[in-house]
Amino acid sequence: MVSLAGRLENKVAIVTGGAMGLGEACARLFVEAGAKVAIADVNDAAGQKLAAELGDAAIFVHLDVSKEAEWTAAVNKTEAVFGPVTVLVNNAGIVAVKHLAEMTEADYRRVIDINQVGTFLGTKAVIASMRGAGGGSIVNVASCAGEFGMKHFAHYVSSKWAVRGFSRAASEDLAKYHIRVNVVIPGTMDTPMNAGLTPPKRQAIKRFARPEEVASMALYLASDEASYCTGRDYAVEGGFSNLVGEVMMDDVED
Ligand SMILES: NC(=O)c1ccc[n+]([C@@H]2O[C@H](COP(=O)([O-])OP(=O)(O)OC[C@H]3O[C@@H](n4cnc5c(N)ncnc54)[C@H](O)[C@@H]3O)[C@@H](O)[C@H]2O)c1
């Protein structure tokens, strides 16, 4: 196993949706790499349990990413305990499955509020702190669903395309403050979000991603190793994007 020691030394990170799944994997990896981490989530019980397990390098902060006032409180608490925020992982997200003909405005807005507006609010909330620290890195979590269309996912697909577009624009505005903004695009992961689903069979790597395989990319983008990376998408998806080509070769044996 490669040593992560020191790769995030002196970094102060907020990881949203940090109590479970990919966010939990980021919190664990970031602490191992030397960061101080605020685990920000609506799931207080799971978040507090993880923070206690990770010890002095982690705290839990209650945060619903769709609520601006809660962002202010979360950033203030993180700064009070660890100092200025230098890394933000906008990871919290929800999925819902519904045919467009049945989708209500409330259904649509709920997904957009958390996945898309939450990313905007988080980015806004850390700008002053990162400027005070001399710069920072924001890692926004999109999805393969934000590169294609998918049936019964109009709200989710829209939100994830938006995260990618927002990140490119934000990287332009924030460059003058030495804040980098990038996107991680996970393929299907072995997380609570996919509980009960079957692993992918047709892509090149025929299994779910372990969340830590995707968290490794977030760690790289959060670190100073990625000092020349901004405004781009970084996919960790086991060959998912080649599925279109695979479909054309349906009759050819592996
Ligand atoms: N699971 C996948 O296969 C997959 C694939 C592509 C992209 N993604 C994206 O990766 C991210 C993480 O997914 P996951 O699989 O770890 O999900 P998960 O459902 O396993 O965990 C999500 C976490 O976010 C928290 N959360 C939900 N709503 C919140 C809110 N309003 N404010 C704060 N926290 C909130 C949950 O409590 C939970 O701890 C999401 O943005 C998701 O869209 C997931």
Side-chain angles (χ1 to χ4, degrees), residues 48-109:
Q48 279 161 357
K49 186 163 175 276
L50 179 61
E53 184 195 327
L54 294 177
D56 290 345
I59 57 169
F60 173 72
V61 292
H62 177 87
L63 172 69
D64 178 340
V65 295
S66 65
K67 306 256 166 59
E68 189 164 26
E70 294 192 15
W71 266 109
T72 306
V75 172
N76 286 345
K77 182 172 172 188
T78 306
E79 282 188 319
V81 178
F82 293 137
V85 178
T86 49
V87 173
L88 169 65
V89 184
N90 277 314
N91 161 76
I94 58 166
V95 278
V97 184
K98 206 171 247 190
H99 191 284
L100 184 56
E102 315 299 325
M103 196 178 286
T104 64
E105 180 181 350
D107 294 331
Y108 191 82
R109 284 193 189 276

Side-chain angles (χ1 to χ4, degrees), residues 92-213:
I94 58 166
V95 278
V97 184
K98 206 171 247 190
H99 191 284
L100 184 56
E102 315 299 325
M103 196 178 286
T104 64
E105 180 181 350
D107 294 331
Y108 191 82
R109 284 193 189 276
R110 182 170 145 68
V111 174
I112 297 293
D113 269 357
I114 293 173
N115 298 5
Q116 179 180 341
V117 180
T119 300
F120 160 74
L121 291 175
T123 302
K124 286 272 295 171
V126 297
I127 292 173
S129 198
M130 288 188 176
R131 284 184 72 179
S137 172
I138 298 173
V139 181
N140 294 328
V141 178
S143 169
C144 292
E147 297 185 294
F148 304 97
M150 269 170 79
K151 59 184 173 185
H152 302 180
F153 276 100
H155 38 18
Y156 186 78
V157 166
S158 304
S159 73
K160 295 300 187 178
W161 276 92
V163 165
R164 295 176 58 219
F166 169 76
S167 302
R168 291 188 184 197
S171 73
E172 287 291 320
D173 282 352
L174 301 184
K176 68 176 178 182
Y177 307 136
H178 309 290
I179 299 172
R180 298 181 291 102
V181 186
N182 289 290
V183 173
V184 172
I185 300 185
T188 48
M189 296 182 286
D190 186 9
T191 62
M193 186 178 270
N194 285 333
L197 298 186
T198 323
K201 290 191 199 69
R202 299 179 66 184
Q203 65 187 36
I205 301 178
K206 298 178 197 331
R207 61 171 174 82
F208 285 130
R210 296 185 297 276
E212 55 274 19
E213 291 176 304

